[in-house]
């Protein structure tokens, strides 16, 4: 937008945890219910194999044998790919369906604020509703107790 610059000083807010979403590839905060869980992998602009490696490590070392994958917007496709790779790899190791999957689809509002560069212009605030998805993968109870 000509004559404006995006506010990145923390004065703009977003329920997703980024300052005005200045960088669409910046990591996002998971939904409020999942923020205290260390088994969360937020999928963004990195390579899918990095997320697969991190999620596999979390599944192996977690006492609950559970991992939560979360993404928003254009990264949802990568999120689904990562989940499918994890399920395929677990199935190869176990020779049966080794992971139980639960999907959650929701929307979160992101607020962008634009400050005027030239004098005489008003600040602009835009609220966007972003699609989000969370995939919970866990081992069935009988496998996690072994």
């Amino acid at each position: 937008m000509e004559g404006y610059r995006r506010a990145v000083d923390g004065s703009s807010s977003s329920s997703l945890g980024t300052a005005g979403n200045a960088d669409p590839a910046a990591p996002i905060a998971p939904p409020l219910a999942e923020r205290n869980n260390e088994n969360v992998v937020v999928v963004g602009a990195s390579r899918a194999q990095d997320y697969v490696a991190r999620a596999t490590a979390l599944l192996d070392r977690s006492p609950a044998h559970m991992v939560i994958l979360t993404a928003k917007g254009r990264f949802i496709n990568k999120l689904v790919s990562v989940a499918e790779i994890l399920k395929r790899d677990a199935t190869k190791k176990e020779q049966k369906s080794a992971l139980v999957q639960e999907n959650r689809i929701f929307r979160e509002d992101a607020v962008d604020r634009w400050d005027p560069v030239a004098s005489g212009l008003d600040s602009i605030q835009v609220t966007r509703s972003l699609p989000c998805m969370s995939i919970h993968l866990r081992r069935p109870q009988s496998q996690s107790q072994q």
Side-chain angles (χ1 to χ4, degrees):
M1 293 172 60
E2 190 173 321
Y4 288 89
R5 64 176 160 69
R6 189 181 297 251
V8 292
D9 60 348
S11 58
S12 59
S13 65
S14 168
S15 63
L16 295 173
T18 59
N21 291 326
D23 181 9
I28 63 167
L32 289 174
E34 299 168 357
R35 289 192 183 164
N36 293 331
N37 189 336
E38 63 271 357
N39 293 339
V40 176
V41 176
V42 180
V43 176
S46 293
R47 299 178 316 177
Q49 75 183 61
D50 295 340
Y51 298 117
V52 170
R54 179 147 192 273
T56 302
L58 287 173
L59 273 171
D60 291 341
R61 75 169 188 217
S62 165
H65 294 286
M66 182 183 81
V67 67
I68 301 169
L69 305 168
T70 304
K72 71 173 182 176
R74 63 183 176 156
F75 298 115
I76 290 175
N77 290 337
K78 188 181 291 186
L79 168 75
V80 173
S81 296
V82 168
E84 290 298 322
I85 291 168
L86 286 168
K87 288 181 358 182
R88 182 192 64 205
D89 290 350
T91 303
K92 281 182 183 176
K93 291 178 187 175
E94 304 292 328
Q95 298 299 321
K96 58 184 172 184
S97 179
L99 294 175
V100 176
Q101 178 176 343
E102 179 184 326
N103 300 328
R104 295 184 182 155
I105 300 171
F106 53 97
R107 299 186 86 67
E108 289 193 5
D109 291 337
V111 178
D112 292 335
R113 199 177 97 218
W114 298 79
D115 293 330
V117 175
S119 62
L121 298 174
D122 294 333
S123 293
I124 297 173
Q125 185 169 321
V126 178
T127 303
R128 299 179 292 143
S129 181
L130 297 173
C132 303
M133 185 173 187
S134 178
I135 298 178
H136 298 235
L137 294 173
R138 64 177 170 81
R139 289 198 164 82
Q141 290 294 340
S142 61
Q143 288 182 1
S144 47
Q145 292 174 351
Q146 293 176 358

mmCIF file of all heavy atoms in Angstrom, residues 42-91:
data_model
loop_
_atom_site.group_PDB
_atom_site.id
_atom_site.type_symbol
_atom_site.label_atom_id
_atom_site.label_comp_id
_atom_site.label_asym_id
_atom_site.label_seq_id
_atom_site.Cartn_x
_atom_site.Cartn_y
_atom_site.Cartn_z
ATOM 1 N N VAL A 42 4.895 -26.601 15.167
ATOM 2 C CA VAL A 42 4.229 -25.603 14.341
ATOM 3 C C VAL A 42 4.847 -25.648 12.950
ATOM 4 O O VAL A 42 6.036 -25.422 12.783
ATOM 5 C CB VAL A 42 4.375 -24.196 14.957
ATOM 6 C CG1 VAL A 42 3.684 -23.170 14.093
ATOM 7 C CG2 VAL A 42 3.801 -24.176 16.367
ATOM 8 N N VAL A 43 4.022 -25.959 11.959
ATOM 9 C CA VAL A 43 4.505 -26.118 10.591
ATOM 10 C C VAL A 43 4.474 -24.764 9.895
ATOM 11 O O VAL A 43 3.477 -24.052 9.949
ATOM 12 C CB VAL A 43 3.642 -27.149 9.827
ATOM 13 C CG1 VAL A 43 4.066 -27.244 8.385
ATOM 14 C CG2 VAL A 43 3.728 -28.505 10.516
ATOM 15 N N GLY A 44 5.591 -24.410 9.265
ATOM 16 C CA GLY A 44 5.708 -23.124 8.584
ATOM 17 C C GLY A 44 6.543 -23.245 7.328
ATOM 18 O O GLY A 44 6.329 -24.133 6.511
ATOM 19 N N ALA A 45 7.549 -22.378 7.193
ATOM 20 C CA ALA A 45 8.288 -22.250 5.947
ATOM 21 C C ALA A 45 9.498 -23.185 5.823
ATOM 22 O O ALA A 45 10.131 -23.214 4.785
ATOM 23 C CB ALA A 45 8.758 -20.809 5.782
ATOM 24 N N SER A 46 9.814 -23.956 6.866
ATOM 25 C CA SER A 46 10.961 -24.865 6.762
ATOM 26 C C SER A 46 10.620 -26.092 5.929
ATOM 27 O O SER A 46 9.475 -26.283 5.532
ATOM 28 C CB SER A 46 11.401 -25.304 8.160
ATOM 29 O OG SER A 46 11.921 -24.215 8.874
ATOM 30 N N ARG A 47 11.610 -26.946 5.724
ATOM 31 C CA ARG A 47 11.399 -28.153 4.927
ATOM 32 C C ARG A 47 10.550 -29.165 5.693
ATOM 33 O O ARG A 47 10.656 -29.287 6.914
ATOM 34 C CB ARG A 47 12.735 -28.783 4.580
ATOM 35 C CG ARG A 47 13.628 -27.869 3.743
ATOM 36 C CD ARG A 47 14.943 -28.502 3.452
ATOM 37 N NE ARG A 47 15.478 -29.154 4.665
ATOM 38 C CZ ARG A 47 16.590 -29.844 4.693
ATOM 39 N NH1 ARG A 47 17.308 -29.982 3.616
ATOM 40 N NH2 ARG A 47 17.008 -30.406 5.807
ATOM 41 N N ALA A 48 9.752 -29.917 4.963
ATOM 42 C CA ALA A 48 8.868 -30.908 5.578
ATOM 43 C C ALA A 48 9.658 -31.953 6.355
ATOM 44 O O ALA A 48 9.236 -32.383 7.431
ATOM 45 C CB ALA A 48 7.998 -31.574 4.518
ATOM 46 N N GLN A 49 10.817 -32.362 5.845
ATOM 47 C CA GLN A 49 11.589 -33.393 6.530
ATOM 48 C C GLN A 49 12.075 -32.922 7.900
ATOM 49 O O GLN A 49 12.252 -33.739 8.805
ATOM 50 C CB GLN A 49 12.743 -33.882 5.668
ATOM 51 C CG GLN A 49 13.919 -32.938 5.572
ATOM 52 C CD GLN A 49 14.986 -33.457 4.634
ATOM 53 O OE1 GLN A 49 14.732 -33.649 3.463
ATOM 54 N NE2 GLN A 49 16.167 -33.665 5.137
ATOM 55 N N ASP A 50 12.282 -31.622 8.092
ATOM 56 C CA ASP A 50 12.653 -31.104 9.408
ATOM 57 C C ASP A 50 11.517 -31.301 10.405
ATOM 58 O O ASP A 50 11.741 -31.671 11.560
ATOM 59 C CB ASP A 50 13.010 -29.619 9.322
ATOM 60 C CG ASP A 50 14.252 -29.365 8.481
ATOM 61 O OD1 ASP A 50 15.046 -30.309 8.284
ATOM 62 O OD2 ASP A 50 14.422 -28.222 8.008
ATOM 63 N N TYR A 51 10.289 -31.054 9.959
ATOM 64 C CA TYR A 51 9.129 -31.239 10.827
ATOM 65 C C TYR A 51 8.887 -32.715 11.117
ATOM 66 O O TYR A 51 8.516 -33.082 12.236
ATOM 67 C CB TYR A 51 7.887 -30.604 10.205
ATOM 68 C CG TYR A 51 8.031 -29.112 10.027
ATOM 69 C CD1 TYR A 51 8.019 -28.540 8.767
ATOM 70 C CD2 TYR A 51 8.199 -28.277 11.124
ATOM 71 C CE1 TYR A 51 8.172 -27.178 8.602
ATOM 72 C CE2 TYR A 51 8.348 -26.916 10.975
ATOM 73 C CZ TYR A 51 8.329 -26.366 9.705
ATOM 74 O OH TYR A 51 8.484 -25.020 9.553
ATOM 75 N N VAL A 52 9.113 -33.564 10.132
ATOM 76 C CA VAL A 52 8.956 -35.008 10.329
ATOM 77 C C VAL A 52 9.952 -35.495 11.372
ATOM 78 O O VAL A 52 9.597 -36.255 12.286
ATOM 79 C CB VAL A 52 9.116 -35.776 8.992
ATOM 80 C CG1 VAL A 52 9.203 -37.266 9.231
ATOM 81 C CG2 VAL A 52 7.973 -35.442 8.053
ATOM 82 N N ALA A 53 11.190 -35.060 11.279
ATOM 83 C CA ALA A 53 12.225 -35.475 12.240
ATOM 84 C C ALA A 53 11.876 -35.009 13.657
ATOM 85 O O ALA A 53 11.988 -35.776 14.623
ATOM 86 C CB ALA A 53 13.583 -34.928 11.816
ATOM 87 N N ARG A 54 11.442 -33.763 13.791
ATOM 88 C CA ARG A 54 11.093 -33.237 15.115
ATOM 89 C C ARG A 54 9.885 -33.963 15.693
ATOM 90 O O ARG A 54 9.870 -34.330 16.870
ATOM 91 C CB ARG A 54 10.814 -31.740 15.042
ATOM 92 C CG ARG A 54 10.438 -31.166 16.382
ATOM 93 C CD ARG A 54 10.909 -29.749 16.548
ATOM 94 N NE ARG A 54 10.770 -29.354 17.928
ATOM 95 C CZ ARG A 54 9.654 -28.833 18.447
ATOM 96 N NH1 ARG A 54 8.600 -28.656 17.705
ATOM 97 N NH2 ARG A 54 9.614 -28.496 19.715
ATOM 98 N N ALA A 55 8.867 -34.193 14.873
ATOM 99 C CA ALA A 55 7.660 -34.871 15.354
ATOM 100 C C ALA A 55 7.962 -36.318 15.735
ATOM 101 O O ALA A 55 7.446 -36.822 16.732
ATOM 102 C CB ALA A 55 6.573 -34.809 14.294
ATOM 103 N N THR A 56 8.812 -36.991 14.964
ATOM 104 C CA THR A 56 9.190 -38.366 15.285
ATOM 105 C C THR A 56 9.914 -38.424 16.624
ATOM 106 O O THR A 56 9.635 -39.301 17.452
ATOM 107 C CB THR A 56 10.073 -38.956 14.172
ATOM 108 O OG1 THR A 56 9.352 -38.897 12.935
ATOM 109 C CG2 THR A 56 10.466 -40.384 14.463
ATOM 110 N N ALA A 57 10.811 -37.483 16.853
ATOM 111 C CA ALA A 57 11.524 -37.436 18.132
ATOM 112 C C ALA A 57 10.553 -37.187 19.290
ATOM 113 O O ALA A 57 10.670 -37.813 20.348
ATOM 114 C CB ALA A 57 12.591 -36.347 18.089
ATOM 115 N N LEU A 58 9.591 -36.295 19.090
ATOM 116 C CA LEU A 58 8.611 -36.023 20.137
ATOM 117 C C LEU A 58 7.734 -37.242 20.414
ATOM 118 O O LEU A 58 7.419 -37.535 21.572
ATOM 119 C CB LEU A 58 7.734 -34.832 19.756
ATOM 120 C CG LEU A 58 8.402 -33.455 19.840
ATOM 121 C CD1 LEU A 58 7.482 -32.384 19.272
ATOM 122 C CD2 LEU A 58 8.781 -33.133 21.271
ATOM 123 N N LEU A 59 7.340 -37.954 19.363
ATOM 124 C CA LEU A 59 6.526 -39.161 19.552
ATOM 125 C C LEU A 59 7.290 -40.219 20.340
ATOM 126 O O LEU A 59 6.720 -40.910 21.184
ATOM 127 C CB LEU A 59 6.116 -39.740 18.197
ATOM 128 C CG LEU A 59 4.847 -39.201 17.569
ATOM 129 C CD1 LEU A 59 4.709 -39.701 16.141
ATOM 130 C CD2 LEU A 59 3.629 -39.580 18.376
ATOM 131 N N ASP A 60 8.577 -40.358 20.068
ATOM 132 C CA ASP A 60 9.376 -41.394 20.725
ATOM 133 C C ASP A 60 9.681 -41.068 22.181
ATOM 134 O O ASP A 60 9.687 -41.950 23.018
ATOM 135 C CB ASP A 60 10.683 -41.616 19.963
ATOM 136 C CG ASP A 60 10.447 -42.260 18.611
ATOM 137 O OD1 ASP A 60 9.366 -42.851 18.420
ATOM 138 O OD2 ASP A 60 11.336 -42.159 17.747
ATOM 139 N N ARG A 61 9.911 -39.790 22.504
ATOM 140 C CA ARG A 61 10.328 -39.460 23.868
ATOM 141 C C ARG A 61 9.185 -39.009 24.764
ATOM 142 O O ARG A 61 9.342 -38.939 25.974
ATOM 143 C CB ARG A 61 11.423 -38.413 23.850
ATOM 144 C CG ARG A 61 10.931 -37.035 23.534
ATOM 145 C CD ARG A 61 12.000 -36.005 23.791
ATOM 146 N NE ARG A 61 11.403 -34.695 23.644
ATOM 147 C CZ ARG A 61 11.981 -33.667 23.141
ATOM 148 N NH1 ARG A 61 13.227 -33.752 22.760
ATOM 149 N NH2 ARG A 61 11.362 -32.524 23.045
ATOM 150 N N SER A 62 8.041 -38.725 24.200
ATOM 151 C CA SER A 62 6.912 -38.257 24.990
ATOM 152 C C SER A 62 6.289 -39.399 25.779
ATOM 153 O O SER A 62 6.020 -40.463 25.223
ATOM 154 C CB SER A 62 5.860 -37.643 24.060
ATOM 155 O OG SER A 62 4.639 -37.490 24.737
ATOM 156 N N PRO A 63 6.031 -39.195 27.071
ATOM 157 C CA PRO A 63 5.381 -40.251 27.849
ATOM 158 C C PRO A 63 3.962 -40.544 27.336
ATOM 159 O O PRO A 63 3.481 -41.665 27.444
ATOM 160 C CB PRO A 63 5.343 -39.711 29.265
ATOM 161 C CG PRO A 63 5.912 -38.354 29.237
ATOM 162 C CD PRO A 63 6.375 -38.043 27.859
ATOM 163 N N ALA A 64 3.303 -39.548 26.764
ATOM 164 C CA ALA A 64 1.948 -39.735 26.243
ATOM 165 C C ALA A 64 1.962 -40.303 24.829
ATOM 166 O O ALA A 64 0.918 -40.657 24.294
ATOM 167 C CB ALA A 64 1.203 -38.402 26.249
ATOM 168 N N HIS A 65 3.130 -40.382 24.205
ATOM 169 C CA HIS A 65 3.274 -40.843 22.826
ATOM 170 C C HIS A 65 2.300 -40.089 21.917
ATOM 171 O O HIS A 65 1.532 -40.682 21.167
ATOM 172 C CB HIS A 65 3.068 -42.350 22.709
ATOM 173 C CG HIS A 65 4.137 -43.130 23.400
ATOM 174 N ND1 HIS A 65 5.403 -43.241 22.891
ATOM 175 C CD2 HIS A 65 4.137 -43.801 24.577
ATOM 176 C CE1 HIS A 65 6.138 -43.962 23.707
ATOM 177 N NE2 HIS A 65 5.406 -44.308 24.740
ATOM 178 N N MET A 66 2.343 -38.760 22.003
ATOM 179 C CA MET A 66 1.443 -37.915 21.236
ATOM 180 C C MET A 66 2.205 -36.694 20.732
ATOM 181 O O MET A 66 3.123 -36.212 21.387
ATOM 182 C CB MET A 66 0.283 -37.446 22.119
ATOM 183 C CG MET A 66 -0.718 -36.592 21.378
ATOM 184 S SD MET A 66 -2.020 -35.993 22.460
ATOM 185 C CE MET A 66 -1.201 -34.601 23.210
ATOM 186 N N VAL A 67 1.822 -36.216 19.554
ATOM 187 C CA VAL A 67 2.379 -34.988 19.011
ATOM 188 C C VAL A 67 1.230 -34.209 18.373
ATOM 189 O O VAL A 67 0.291 -34.796 17.840
ATOM 190 C CB VAL A 67 3.527 -35.259 18.000
ATOM 191 C CG1 VAL A 67 3.020 -35.937 16.755
ATOM 192 C CG2 VAL A 67 4.264 -33.981 17.649
ATOM 193 N N ILE A 68 1.315 -32.889 18.472
ATOM 194 C CA ILE A 68 0.301 -32.011 17.886
ATOM 195 C C ILE A 68 0.976 -31.184 16.805
ATOM 196 O O ILE A 68 1.939 -30.471 17.078
ATOM 197 C CB ILE A 68 -0.322 -31.095 18.950
ATOM 198 C CG1 ILE A 68 -0.965 -31.932 20.051
ATOM 199 C CG2 ILE A 68 -1.348 -30.164 18.309
ATOM 200 C CD1 ILE A 68 -1.369 -31.131 21.263
ATOM 201 N N LEU A 69 0.482 -31.294 15.575
ATOM 202 C CA LEU A 69 0.990 -30.518 14.452
ATOM 203 C C LEU A 69 -0.003 -29.389 14.180
ATOM 204 O O LEU A 69 -1.202 -29.647 14.088
ATOM 205 C CB LEU A 69 1.129 -31.394 13.210
ATOM 206 C CG LEU A 69 1.970 -32.658 13.364
ATOM 207 C CD1 LEU A 69 1.771 -33.562 12.168
ATOM 208 C CD2 LEU A 69 3.420 -32.301 13.531
ATOM 209 N N THR A 70 0.488 -28.164 14.050
ATOM 210 C CA THR A 70 -0.386 -27.013 13.858
ATOM 211 C C THR A 70 0.148 -26.150 12.717
ATOM 212 O O THR A 70 1.355 -25.964 12.583
ATOM 213 C CB THR A 70 -0.441 -26.161 15.150
ATOM 214 O OG1 THR A 70 -0.847 -26.990 16.224
ATOM 215 C CG2 THR A 70 -1.417 -25.029 15.025
ATOM 216 N N ALA A 71 -0.778 -25.613 11.898
ATOM 217 C CA ALA A 71 -0.400 -24.705 10.812
ATOM 218 C C ALA A 71 -1.561 -23.775 10.511
ATOM 219 O O ALA A 71 -2.700 -24.021 10.912
ATOM 220 C CB ALA A 71 -0.020 -25.485 9.562
ATOM 221 N N LYS A 72 -1.242 -22.699 9.800
ATOM 222 C CA LYS A 72 -2.278 -21.764 9.367
ATOM 223 C C LYS A 72 -2.054 -21.404 7.907
ATOM 224 O O LYS A 72 -0.943 -21.524 7.380
ATOM 225 C CB LYS A 72 -2.282 -20.506 10.224
ATOM 226 C CG LYS A 72 -1.074 -19.619 9.978
ATOM 227 C CD LYS A 72 -1.187 -18.294 10.703
ATOM 228 C CE LYS A 72 0.031 -17.453 10.375
ATOM 229 N NZ LYS A 72 -0.030 -16.139 10.952
ATOM 230 N N GLY A 73 -3.119 -20.978 7.249
ATOM 231 C CA GLY A 73 -3.049 -20.455 5.895
ATOM 232 C C GLY A 73 -2.424 -21.394 4.890
ATOM 233 O O GLY A 73 -2.772 -22.568 4.797
ATOM 234 N N ARG A 74 -1.468 -20.877 4.155
ATOM 235 C CA ARG A 74 -0.876 -21.634 3.049
ATOM 236 C C ARG A 74 -0.015 -22.810 3.494
ATOM 237 O O ARG A 74 0.366 -23.639 2.694
ATOM 238 C CB ARG A 74 -0.054 -20.706 2.167
ATOM 239 C CG ARG A 74 1.118 -20.096 2.894
ATOM 240 C CD ARG A 74 1.858 -19.130 2.020
ATOM 241 N NE ARG A 74 2.920 -18.498 2.781
ATOM 242 C CZ ARG A 74 3.977 -17.981 2.259
ATOM 243 N NH1 ARG A 74 4.122 -17.996 0.953
ATOM 244 N NH2 ARG A 74 4.891 -17.422 3.008
ATOM 245 N N PHE A 75 0.257 -22.918 4.792
ATOM 246 C CA PHE A 75 1.082 -24.014 5.287
ATOM 247 C C PHE A 75 0.264 -25.243 5.673
ATOM 248 O O PHE A 75 0.822 -26.248 6.097
ATOM 249 C CB PHE A 75 1.933 -23.543 6.466
ATOM 250 C CG PHE A 75 2.879 -22.442 6.087
ATOM 251 C CD1 PHE A 75 2.755 -21.180 6.634
ATOM 252 C CD2 PHE A 75 3.880 -22.661 5.162
ATOM 253 C CE1 PHE A 75 3.607 -20.158 6.270
ATOM 254 C CE2 PHE A 75 4.748 -21.651 4.789
ATOM 255 C CZ PHE A 75 4.605 -20.390 5.345
ATOM 256 N N ILE A 76 -1.054 -25.178 5.519
ATOM 257 C CA ILE A 76 -1.899 -26.322 5.853
ATOM 258 C C ILE A 76 -1.579 -27.507 4.941
ATOM 259 O O ILE A 76 -1.569 -28.664 5.390
ATOM 260 C CB ILE A 76 -3.384 -25.929 5.806
ATOM 261 C CG1 ILE A 76 -3.692 -24.988 6.981
ATOM 262 C CG2 ILE A 76 -4.283 -27.154 5.850
ATOM 263 C CD1 ILE A 76 -5.097 -24.440 6.987
ATOM 264 N N ASN A 77 -1.291 -27.270 3.665
ATOM 265 C CA ASN A 77 -0.926 -28.372 2.752
ATOM 266 C C ASN A 77 0.306 -29.111 3.251
ATOM 267 O O ASN A 77 0.365 -30.343 3.221
ATOM 268 C CB ASN A 77 -0.676 -27.846 1.341
ATOM 269 C CG ASN A 77 -1.933 -27.395 0.660
ATOM 270 O OD1 ASN A 77 -3.021 -27.827 1.011
ATOM 271 N ND2 ASN A 77 -1.798 -26.518 -0.316
ATOM 272 N N LYS A 78 1.298 -28.363 3.715
ATOM 273 C CA LYS A 78 2.515 -28.984 4.225
ATOM 274 C C LYS A 78 2.215 -29.749 5.512
ATOM 275 O O LYS A 78 2.760 -30.828 5.752
ATOM 276 C CB LYS A 78 3.599 -27.935 4.477
ATOM 277 C CG LYS A 78 4.937 -28.551 4.829
ATOM 278 C CD LYS A 78 5.989 -27.503 5.109
ATOM 279 C CE LYS A 78 6.352 -26.773 3.836
ATOM 280 N NZ LYS A 78 7.463 -25.833 4.028
ATOM 281 N N LEU A 79 1.340 -29.217 6.339
ATOM 282 C CA LEU A 79 0.938 -29.890 7.575
ATOM 283 C C LEU A 79 0.358 -31.268 7.275
ATOM 284 O O LEU A 79 0.731 -32.266 7.904
ATOM 285 C CB LEU A 79 -0.094 -29.038 8.317
ATOM 286 C CG LEU A 79 -0.826 -29.706 9.471
ATOM 287 C CD1 LEU A 79 0.087 -29.815 10.666
ATOM 288 C CD2 LEU A 79 -2.067 -28.927 9.814
ATOM 289 N N VAL A 80 -0.541 -31.344 6.318
ATOM 290 C CA VAL A 80 -1.162 -32.621 5.950
ATOM 291 C C VAL A 80 -0.102 -33.581 5.407
ATOM 292 O O VAL A 80 -0.104 -34.771 5.741
ATOM 293 C CB VAL A 80 -2.304 -32.398 4.945
ATOM 294 C CG1 VAL A 80 -2.833 -33.709 4.417
ATOM 295 C CG2 VAL A 80 -3.417 -31.581 5.587
ATOM 296 N N SER A 81 0.815 -33.085 4.599
ATOM 297 C CA SER A 81 1.892 -33.933 4.065
ATOM 298 C C SER A 81 2.757 -34.495 5.185
ATOM 299 O O SER A 81 3.107 -35.682 5.174
ATOM 300 C CB SER A 81 2.764 -33.147 3.089
ATOM 301 O OG SER A 81 2.014 -32.748 1.971
ATOM 302 N N VAL A 82 3.121 -33.654 6.154
ATOM 303 C CA VAL A 82 3.942 -34.102 7.285
ATOM 304 C C VAL A 82 3.200 -35.190 8.063
ATOM 305 O O VAL A 82 3.785 -36.222 8.420
ATOM 306 C CB VAL A 82 4.322 -32.912 8.193
ATOM 307 C CG1 VAL A 82 4.912 -33.387 9.509
ATOM 308 C CG2 VAL A 82 5.295 -31.992 7.475
ATOM 309 N N ALA A 83 1.913 -34.992 8.317
ATOM 310 C CA ALA A 83 1.132 -35.986 9.059
ATOM 311 C C ALA A 83 1.067 -37.309 8.296
ATOM 312 O O ALA A 83 1.207 -38.392 8.883
ATOM 313 C CB ALA A 83 -0.269 -35.458 9.331
ATOM 314 N N GLU A 84 0.875 -37.255 6.986
ATOM 315 C CA GLU A 84 0.804 -38.478 6.189
ATOM 316 C C GLU A 84 2.143 -39.206 6.159
ATOM 317 O O GLU A 84 2.191 -40.436 6.209
ATOM 318 C CB GLU A 84 0.330 -38.157 4.765
ATOM 319 C CG GLU A 84 -1.119 -37.731 4.689
ATOM 320 C CD GLU A 84 -2.086 -38.807 5.156
ATOM 321 O OE1 GLU A 84 -1.851 -39.997 4.870
ATOM 322 O OE2 GLU A 84 -3.072 -38.456 5.819
ATOM 323 N N ILE A 85 3.235 -38.465 6.093
ATOM 324 C CA ILE A 85 4.569 -39.087 6.127
ATOM 325 C C ILE A 85 4.788 -39.777 7.467
ATOM 326 O O ILE A 85 5.285 -40.909 7.531
ATOM 327 C CB ILE A 85 5.673 -38.043 5.837
ATOM 328 C CG1 ILE A 85 5.593 -37.582 4.390
ATOM 329 C CG2 ILE A 85 7.052 -38.622 6.153
ATOM 330 C CD1 ILE A 85 6.447 -36.364 4.079
ATOM 331 N N LEU A 86 4.409 -39.116 8.558
ATOM 332 C CA LEU A 86 4.557 -39.713 9.888
ATOM 333 C C LEU A 86 3.739 -40.998 10.003
ATOM 334 O O LEU A 86 4.217 -42.008 10.523
ATOM 335 C CB LEU A 86 4.122 -38.722 10.969
ATOM 336 C CG LEU A 86 5.070 -37.571 11.250
ATOM 337 C CD1 LEU A 86 4.390 -36.519 12.104
ATOM 338 C CD2 LEU A 86 6.322 -38.085 11.937
ATOM 339 N N LYS A 87 2.511 -40.971 9.507
ATOM 340 C CA LYS A 87 1.666 -42.162 9.578
ATOM 341 C C LYS A 87 2.230 -43.294 8.718
ATOM 342 O O LYS A 87 2.234 -44.459 9.134
ATOM 343 C CB LYS A 87 0.237 -41.823 9.129
ATOM 344 C CG LYS A 87 -0.498 -40.979 10.139
ATOM 345 C CD LYS A 87 -1.914 -40.606 9.790
ATOM 346 C CE LYS A 87 -2.450 -41.047 8.511
ATOM 347 N NZ LYS A 87 -3.815 -40.599 8.234
ATOM 348 N N ARG A 88 2.725 -42.961 7.532
ATOM 349 C CA ARG A 88 3.308 -43.981 6.648
ATOM 350 C C ARG A 88 4.540 -44.611 7.295
ATOM 351 O O ARG A 88 4.690 -45.839 7.304
ATOM 352 C CB ARG A 88 3.683 -43.358 5.305
ATOM 353 C CG ARG A 88 4.242 -44.376 4.313
ATOM 354 C CD ARG A 88 4.865 -43.716 3.119
ATOM 355 N NE ARG A 88 6.022 -42.944 3.561
ATOM 356 C CZ ARG A 88 6.505 -41.894 2.924
ATOM 357 N NH1 ARG A 88 5.947 -41.462 1.822
ATOM 358 N NH2 ARG A 88 7.570 -41.261 3.374
ATOM 359 N N ASP A 89 5.429 -43.784 7.857
ATOM 360 C CA ASP A 89 6.639 -44.305 8.491
ATOM 361 C C ASP A 89 6.306 -45.177 9.699
ATOM 362 O O ASP A 89 6.926 -46.223 9.909
ATOM 363 C CB ASP A 89 7.559 -43.163 8.909
ATOM 364 C CG ASP A 89 8.200 -42.449 7.726
ATOM 365 O OD1 ASP A 89 8.080 -42.958 6.589
ATOM 366 O OD2 ASP A 89 8.796 -41.379 7.941
ATOM 367 N N ALA A 90 5.323 -44.762 10.485
ATOM 368 C CA ALA A 90 4.929 -45.551 11.660
ATOM 369 C C ALA A 90 4.312 -46.875 11.239
ATOM 370 O O ALA A 90 4.545 -47.907 11.870
ATOM 371 C CB ALA A 90 3.953 -44.754 12.522
ATOM 372 N N THR A 91 3.549 -46.853 10.164
ATOM 373 C CA THR A 91 2.925 -48.081 9.667
ATOM 374 C C THR A 91 3.980 -49.049 9.135
ATOM 375 O O THR A 91 3.887 -50.258 9.337
ATOM 376 C CB THR A 91 1.888 -47.760 8.576
ATOM 377 O OG1 THR A 91 0.924 -46.860 9.120
ATOM 378 C CG2 THR A 91 1.195 -49.006 8.087
#
